[in-house]
Amino acid sequence: MQHAPRNQMGVIYPLMFLFLLLLHGTSAALKDPVQKWQTLSGAPPLVIARGGYSGLFPDSSQFGYQFALSNSLPEVVLFCDLQLSSDNVGFCKTGLALDDSTLIAKVFPKNDKTYKVNGDGLHGWFSVDFTSNQLMDNVTLIQNVLSRPSIFDGTMGISLIDDVVELHPPQLWINIQYGQFFLDHKLNIEEYISSKAKEFGVNYVSSPEVGFLKSLSGKLGKSNVKLVFRFLDQQLIEPSTKQPYGTILKDLKSVKAFASGILVPKTYIWPVNKDQYLQPATTLVKDAHGLDLEVYAFKFGNDFISSYNYSYDPSAEYLQFIDSSDFSVDGVLTDFPSTASAAIACLAHTKDSSLPPPGNDTRPLIITHNGACGLFPGCTDLAYQQAVEDGADIIDCSVQMSKDAVPFCLDSPDLTKGTTAATVFSTKAATVNEIQNGSGIFAFDLLSSEIQTLKPDLVGPYNQEGLKRNPAAKNSGKLMTLVDFLAFSKSNNISGVLVDVRNAPYLATRGIDIVDAVSSALINASYDKETRQQVLIASDDSAVLRAFKKFPAFKRVLQIGNAISDVSKASVEEMAKFASAVSITRGSVVQAQGSFLLRFTDVIDKMHAANLSVYVGLLRNEFMNLGFDFWANPMVEIVTYSSLMADGIVTEFPATAAEYFRSPCSDFSKNLTYTIMPAKPGSLLKLTDPSALPPAQGPAPVLKPADVVDPPLPPVTISTPGASASSNGSSTTSGARVSTASSGLCLLAIGLSVLLVTSSK
């Protein structure tokens, strides 16, 4: 039967496929490194793109399939959840109820039904009640995962399976999730597949229904199509045998009788406990391989809540399934095929690779922010030890001062941020407007002996949204004094330390000389004579940096905390008088519109022209910290700043950066079949309807000399008791004076409600 003609809502623009190919193109290689894989065949695992690139575009959209082809390994498999219209036309769409991911309810508001599906009632709009013309001419797709872009909603039509075939995918996988449902409605999907398999070039057919696969096996005969049994959650009942999937799992020999492989939830292989931590791997893969059954895993998505063991690095999760010395799955079904491709092509088999030294011709410095505070409470012994183990070059200490002038490491002088002070010293709460808006419990109001009684507290930036960091280590480790931090640093093989000095003018009014305290600690640790490790002194106050000019070996770093869109020549010349490096925000490197990247600035180039090193931060792994152009993959952001020649990246997850720089893909001179490409600002925006975008933000300010020059430090004096609590002053450091009219890289649109999903649809 001829399929219905395409309407304008689902039209494929003539140059779109070419454009998508150019977004993140791959380069052909003469020869890639030969790797040994623990798959059944010994070949690399397959990347199977569920509904195309459904992590960005609506599931099963033509754009999504095109994007998957152009941004994945050459052997990528396109995955189509096949459904049939009432006139027996096949199309791709995940989920039986169409209203979950289309606007069909608005177009046909009175056509909803309730049907029995595997014994349970399901209400919605179903393909069996509509002709192909009705669906193709009227129904458009929407993104049904709220953490993903919604601006493509209503702009793309449903994809016929013929449309997917016309893209000439290297391999095609057809999934039949509800074969019996269509049979109950007089639509024989078995006959449809068996008659079209050769024409469409189908390579795989999967289904969670034993009866369907057995029947289809007889119809396909000696076809080369591989049949794959799809396991669902173990407690669910398989409809034809009436057995729980967990029971069938125990009898893989029976599966081998009608299938050549199995598709299983990833927890079948690496279970997680109730606290979301990994348990020991099962023997499923090895057992299945022993029976000559291939094993494919599903429920992979960069923005799915997974085990805390992965620290929000989706690449780490893929590697857990493909890079074991004991086993590898034969393929992964994913919403983000580029990330899976990178794990296979770039990151696998690199655990023992050495990390190249930082340099202009190799890679930027990996600089921590409060140590590896993505895994342990910031500025603790455990966070610093983890950072060293993870490959950090520079570990940092943000210096705070106790009432008795003991310097220690903590991100903020407000002890309620990073410790349990609120539960112990609530009576010490005060308001110090020179430090922050709102009250807090401040380090300079407590003796060092009191601070030592506090427990650290690991609170991630997205706790409220459910993205917690390593809850098992919430109060682990101990805070470190600056003296202990320097001793630890000297005893480890790192490139150097960054000592952040803040709030010197205010502390002087409290009788505390932070510059002298830091200088003394560095001298006592012999860092003024150190040749093996570099000392970086960072501050947002030019007067502080000038005070450290007496240490010529120290590198002074000006921190510019607010986003800027440009730098004036005069401001760069002024900075060069007292600093040799600058630390800038991500929003100063790339501008955004809503959650989309808009354009790169030339701030890095202008700083480099004045011989100033540039460090970019703050990098975090959580997908909510990433613009959509980074594809919910923190590694793409690392690649992007590296490609812009940043001299250092400041991160809370140094392991992710080191993982990338150990890989062959970090060397852009290598001609690899596939590599991780930097983001291209504006590329996704070109695919959107401008009216669907949030209002553009005004540009960030241009940095001027007045923004970087501070008055001399005041003399250290003893203030009257209680002065801090009644102070109404405001900070006058250069880093705080830059206009905050623009918030820089606003990576999540205002009002975005994030749906944290734990499984694919």
Side-chain angles (χ1 to χ4, degrees):
M1 179 176 180
Q2 293 294 317
H3 65 71
R6 304 295 305 194
N7 72 314
Q8 289 301 308
M9 288 181 292
V11 71
I12 306 171
Y13 297 101
L15 298 179
M16 185 56 61
F17 190 38
L18 177 61
F19 177 73
L20 290 168
L21 283 170
L22 294 175
L23 285 184
H24 288 262
T26 59
S27 55
L30 296 176
K31 185 177 182 181
D32 276 356
V34 176
Q35 306 287 4
K36 184 178 180 181
W37 296 92
Q38 297 296 322
T39 56
L40 181 61
S41 67
L46 290 176
V47 175
I48 309 160
R50 190 189 70 83
Y53 209 115
S54 52
L56 281 176
F57 299 96
D59 171 81
S60 302
S61 66
Q62 196 72 351
F63 278 15
Y65 283 119
Q66 291 172 341
F67 204 84
L69 285 174
S70 61
N71 293 283
S72 307
L73 283 168
E75 304 82 11
V76 65
V77 184
L78 296 190
F79 185 93
C80 168
D81 265 296
L82 182 65
Q83 299 203 43
L84 296 178
S85 61
S86 62
D87 50 346
N88 206 46
V89 173
F91 64 94
C92 303
K93 194 78 210 75
T94 301
L96 194 58
L98 298 181
D99 50 303
D100 285 341
S101 55
T102 76
L103 294 175
I104 193 170
K106 290 186 176 181
V107 182
F108 300 105
K110 298 181 180 180
N111 290 58
D112 54 318
K113 299 280 185 67
T114 299
Y115 288 119
K116 283 281 188 181
V117 180
N118 294 334
D120 296 320
L122 180 63
H123 181 80
W125 282 253
F126 300 89
S127 65
V128 296
D129 297 317
F130 299 91
T131 66
S132 57
N133 282 332
Q134 287 177 305
L135 294 174
M136 300 303 119
D137 292 347
N138 300 284
V139 180
T140 53
L141 307 175
I142 60 172
Q143 177 61 261
N144 65 349
V145 179
L146 296 184
S147 59
R148 299 174 181 178
S150 61
I151 59 172
F152 303 112
D153 289 1
T155 65
M156 305 174 187
I158 290 175
S159 294
L160 296 175
I161 188 170
D162 303 68
D163 298 329
V164 179
V165 170
E166 287 174 3
L167 295 176
H168 304 292
Q171 298 188 78
L172 180 62
W173 186 310
I174 304 297
N175 182 64
I176 312 298
Q177 197 73 5
Y178 301 99
Q180 187 60 47
F181 174 82
F182 288 102
L183 192 62
D184 292 343
H185 290 81
K186 314 301 182 186
L187 294 168
N188 194 326
I189 206 164
E190 295 172 18
E191 291 291 343
Y192 183 89
I193 289 291
S194 59
S195 65
K196 298 282 189 178
K198 186 175 182 180
E199 175 189 347
F200 288 163
V202 177
N203 303 93
Y204 300 85
V205 174
S206 60
S207 175
E209 298 177 356
V210 172
F212 171 83
L213 288 176
K214 285 184 175 180
S215 178
L216 183 61
S217 177
K219 290 181 171 63
L220 289 175
K222 296 182 179 181
S223 166
N224 291 327
V225 177
K226 291 185 177 182
L227 300 184
V228 179
F229 180 55
R230 182 171 186 169
F231 281 85
L232 303 182
D233 291 343
Q234 295 196 35
Q235 74 277 8
L236 296 179
I237 303 298
E238 192 281 318
S240 51
T241 64
K242 309 302 181 184
Q243 290 183 311
Y245 285 97
T247 299
I248 300 174
L249 184 68
K250 298 174 183 177
D251 185 17
L252 289 179
K253 285 185 180 179
S254 67
V255 176
K256 178 61 180 174
F258 61 87
S260 62
I262 56 176
L263 176 62
V264 300
K266 58 190 180 184
T267 53
Y268 272 43
I269 300 168
W270 282 102
V272 295
N273 62 19
K274 61 181 179 61
D275 297 317
Q276 291 301 109
Y277 287 95
L278 287 178
Q279 300 298 289
T282 68
T283 61
L284 173 60
V285 177
K286 296 182 74 172
D287 293 344
H289 283 177
L291 295 170
D292 205 31
L293 279 170
E294 295 176 324
V295 181
Y296 304 93
F298 70 96
K299 294 190 178 181
F300 288 93
N302 293 8
D303 52 359
F304 293 165
I305 297 291
S306 193
S307 170
Y308 293 117
N309 296 78
Y310 304 129
S311 299
Y312 299 104
D313 178 2
S315 298
E317 181 173 28
Y318 289 115
L319 293 174
Q320 191 76 16
F321 287 81
I322 67 171
D323 199 26
S324 166
S325 60
D326 204 30
F327 68 84
S328 169
V329 297
D330 300 283
V332 291
L333 178 61
T334 174
D335 293 5
F336 292 84
S338 63
T339 308
S341 296
I344 293 168
C346 299
L347 307 174
H349 308 128
T350 63
K351 292 177 183 176
D352 298 326
S353 299
S354 59
L355 186 64
N360 293 334
D361 299 327
T362 52
R363 64 171 178 85
L365 288 165
I366 302 173
I367 305 171
T368 67
H369 179 249
N370 304 324
C373 67
L375 282 75
F376 293 103
C379 299
T380 60
D381 55 341
L382 295 180
Y384 290 127
Q385 182 61 51
Q386 188 67 51
V388 172
E389 293 175 5
D390 288 345
D393 301 302
I394 306 289
I395 60 174
D396 70 303
C397 171
S398 293
V399 179
Q400 310 303 333
M401 300 296 293
S402 66
K403 187 175 182 178
D404 48 345
V406 175
F408 67 98
C409 304
L410 195 66
D411 188 45
S412 171
D414 182 358
L415 298 174
T416 65
K417 302 172 182 177
T419 78
T420 55
T423 63
V424 183
F425 294 108
S426 59
T427 58
K428 296 277 190 177
T431 300
V432 183
N433 293 329
E434 293 93 335
I435 302 297
Q436 67 182 31
N437 295 324
S439 64
I441 300 171
F442 296 98
F444 42 74
D445 287 330
L446 273 70
L447 296 171
S448 59
S449 58
E450 294 176 306
I451 294 172
Q452 289 171 7
T453 66
L454 298 174
K455 290 183 179 179
D457 190 21
L458 177 56
V459 179
Y462 303 106
N463 265 34
Q464 294 292 325
E465 291 79 9
L467 303 183
K468 295 180 180 180
R469 291 181 174 180
N470 195 12
K474 180 174 174 58
N475 300 119
S476 299
K478 64 178 182 178
L479 298 177
M480 297 186 76
T481 65
L482 178 59
V483 170
D484 291 339
F485 169 81
L486 295 175
F488 170 82
S489 301
K490 273 218 162 182
S491 66
N492 281 279
N493 184 26
I494 56 176
S495 299
V497 295
L498 183 147
V499 180
D500 186 2
V501 182
R502 299 286 183 108
N503 306 311
Y506 175 76
L507 289 171
T509 69
R510 298 295 300 268
I512 299 173
D513 191 338
I514 187 174
V515 172
D516 181 69
V518 170
S519 299
S520 298
L522 288 165
I523 292 171
N524 291 337
S526 300
Y527 266 103
D528 57 328
K529 301 180 181 67
E530 175 67 32
T531 57
R532 186 176 62 90
Q533 293 181 352
Q534 173 76 63
V535 175
L536 281 66
I537 300 294
S539 182
D540 59 354
D541 191 324
S542 63
V544 169
L545 297 181
R546 290 182 191 274
F548 280 91
K549 196 172 183 178
K550 60 186 177 182
F551 299 101
F554 294 178
K555 190 166 188 172
R556 288 165 288 157
V557 184
L558 178 66
Q559 295 179 322
I560 303 172
N562 294 312
I564 56 176
S565 60
D566 200 355
V567 289
S568 67
K569 183 179 179 181
S571 65
V572 174
E573 292 173 348
E574 195 64 46
M575 285 185 285
K577 295 177 182 178
F578 57 82
S580 54
V582 293
S583 180
I584 59 177
T585 66
R586 300 176 304 153
S588 299
V589 178
V590 58
Q591 297 175 343
Q593 182 173 352
S595 301
F596 293 88
L597 304 189
L598 190 58
R599 65 179 67 88
F600 289 127
T601 71
D602 58 1
V603 170
I604 291 180
D605 290 339
K606 289 186 176 181
M607 297 291 191
H608 281 167
N611 204 30
L612 290 168
S613 299
V614 181
Y615 309 139
V616 179
L618 179 64
L619 277 63
R620 293 171 169 140
N621 280 6
E622 289 95 342
F623 69 86
M624 289 189 66
N625 196 56
L626 301 168
F628 289 135
D629 298 77
F630 294 125
W631 304 348
N633 184 358
M635 205 164 284
V636 174
E637 186 177 34
I638 293 167
V639 176
T640 300
Y641 300 135
S642 179
S643 72
L644 295 173
M645 303 306 293
D647 301 283
I649 55 173
V650 184
T651 176
E652 296 179 341
F653 294 86
T656 303
E659 180 181 51
Y660 168 68
F661 291 120
R662 274 196 300 267
S663 78
C665 292
S666 64
D667 186 347
F668 289 134
S669 67
K670 291 185 177 180
N671 189 29
L672 302 174
T673 301
Y674 184 89
T675 193
I676 308 173
M677 299 295 290
K680 298 188 185 303
S683 60
L684 288 180
L685 284 176
K686 292 177 181 177
L687 304 178
T688 67
D689 178 359
S691 64
L693 293 170
Q697 294 177 298
V702 176
L703 194 69
K704 298 177 181 178
D707 299 320
V708 299
V709 178
D710 296 288
L713 293 176
V716 178
T717 59
I718 304 297
S719 64
T720 58
S724 64
S726 60
S727 172
N728 290 310
S730 59
S731 174
T732 59
T733 59
S734 58
R737 278 209 312 272
V738 178
S739 168
T740 56
S742 168
S743 60
L745 187 58
C746 178
L747 293 180
L748 288 176
I750 296 173
L752 177 66
S753 174
V754 175
L755 175 63
L756 302 177
V757 290
T758 56
S759 63
S760 62
K761 300 160 287 300

